Structure formats: C-alpha cells, structure tokens
Amino acid sequence: MDDPLTIAEAWSSEGRKVALATVVDTWGSAPRPVGSHLVIDEEGRFEGSVSGGCVEGAVVAEAVDVIETGKPQMLEFGVADETAWEVGLSCGGTIRVFVEPVR
C-alpha cells in the first residue's frame, strides 16, 4: 500500500478536495495503531486504513462532510466485546480519529 500522506499530497496537487483521517488514541483492542492514516477525496474515494468494517465507512462519510465544511472533527468509536464482531471488529475497544481537511 502507498503512503496515505503521499497520496493526499498527490490528490491535492491534482485539484481534488481531500481530507486526512488519523488514529490519535486507542483503548483496548483496535485494528490499527495510533498514527494510522486514511485519505479521502470529495467523492468518497479513499486509500489507507484507520480501522475497517463499518467504522471506516463512517469515517469516510464524516470526511466528506469535513471537506465540504472545512471544519476538522474528532470522532470516537467504541464497541463492547459482546457486539464487536457484528460491526466488523475482532473484539471490543475504543478509537479516536481526527479528521482534517488538507489544504
């Protein structure tokens, strides 16, 4: 996989509107470590990963809103062990993801 930061720079240079999502905190089980990135453009195309499953889908949807408004957002997702598998995670935990527009 290519580096999402390099992709963000390339997409921005092409004139695409871009947001960058970064895992900034985890507790318990988390699919991706702190510092993982996901780059998203205004059409919802993305590269990289901050989680997986429906969490990543929610991050992409929020990132499109961040691109439109220009306002960064802190997102938090938490899942109990008992329901983790249902949302695409191997076990419970909490992650915080910061989503910011790339300018």
Side-chain angles (χ1 to χ4, degrees):
M1 175 187 307
D2 292 325
D3 177 23
L5 298 178
T6 302
I7 294 169
E9 182 179 27
W11 286 3
S12 186
S13 296
E14 293 171 2
R16 292 184 189 182
K17 294 180 180 177
V18 177
L20 182 67
T22 305
V23 176
V24 295
D25 190 28
T26 66
W27 181 87
S29 179
R32 301 282 185 254
V34 170
S36 297
H37 296 290
L38 180 70
V39 60
I40 308 98
D41 77 3
E42 72 271 21
E43 294 182 16
R45 292 176 287 202
F46 63 94
E47 292 283 342
S49 181
V50 292
S51 178
C54 62
V55 169
E56 203 148 86
V59 171
V60 169
E62 291 292 333
V64 171
D65 289 343
V66 166
I67 291 169
E68 289 177 7
T69 65
K71 296 179 181 176
Q73 296 223 6
M74 182 69 74
L75 308 175
E76 184 170 323
F77 301 92
V79 178
D81 287 344
E82 298 79 27
T83 56
W85 191 253
E86 295 172 16
V87 295
L89 298 173
S90 56
C91 52
T94 301
I95 63 170
R96 291 178 21 144
V97 179
F98 184 67
V99 183
E100 59 190 320
V102 174
R103 298 180 181 136

